[in-house]
């Protein structure tokens, strides 16, 4: 169904649980995400400024409506302590009608 209402999922990760909880709380309080889940600690391996890094991080998974995406991204980037924060956002291929209805009423 191309015209069906959609739900998006976005991710970021942070080095501190406290920072992650603060961003999760603010995004839901401001109505920019219907739900934010916190996973962690997770272990990330990546290159930063030419060096191989391995760090413990906390991952946030946001459930949001498409119309919230730009404002949510702007807030996350404003609050995020990293110089280059992870920000990935995808459209959910399928969402149950009850969950989508709840997400729409949460904002």
């Amino acid at each position: 169904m191309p015209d069906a209402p959609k739900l998006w999922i976005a991710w970021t990760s942070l080095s501190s649980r406290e920072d992650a909880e603060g961003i999760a709380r603010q995004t839901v309080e401001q109505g920019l995400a219907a739900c934010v889940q916190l996973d962690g600690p997770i272990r990330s391996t990546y290159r930063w400024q030419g060096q191989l890094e391995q760090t413990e991080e906390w991952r946030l998974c946001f459930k949001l409506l498409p119309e919230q995406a730009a404002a949510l991204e702007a807030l996350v980037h404003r609050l995020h302590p990293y110089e280059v924060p992870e920000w990935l956002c995808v459209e959910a291929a399928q969402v149950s009608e009850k969950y989508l209805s709840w997400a729409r009423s949460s904002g």
Side-chain angles (χ1 to χ4, degrees):
M1 278 197 226
D3 295 330
K6 300 294 182 192
L7 189 75
W8 289 8
I9 302 168
W11 295 271
T12 195
S13 55
L14 297 104
S15 61
S16 129
R17 181 180 182 142
E18 293 74 26
D19 287 345
E21 288 175 345
I23 288 176
R25 190 173 30 261
Q26 286 190 54
T27 57
V28 173
E29 284 176 352
Q30 294 185 33
L32 299 178
C35 173
V36 184
Q37 294 172 317
L38 173 64
D39 297 321
I42 59 171
R43 192 86 175 141
S44 294
T45 303
Y46 55 94
R47 284 200 183 276
W48 179 248
Q49 299 178 343
Q51 299 294 314
L52 184 63
E53 302 283 341
Q54 290 188 307
T55 58
E56 183 176 278
E57 294 184 297
W58 301 86
R59 180 177 26 226
L60 292 178
C61 177
F62 303 85
K63 281 44 167 259
L64 63 138
L65 301 171
E67 56 270 22
Q68 299 166 318
L72 176 60
E73 180 178 4
L75 180 64
V76 168
H77 278 84
R78 184 171 58 79
L79 299 175
H80 207 295
Y82 290 2
E83 184 178 332
V84 181
E86 170 189 18
W87 184 252
L88 306 170
C89 192
V90 297
E91 184 178 317
Q94 185 173 344
V95 181
S96 74
E97 286 300 320
K98 284 184 178 182
Y99 191 83
L100 184 59
S101 178
W102 169 79
R104 289 204 168 279
S105 70
S106 294

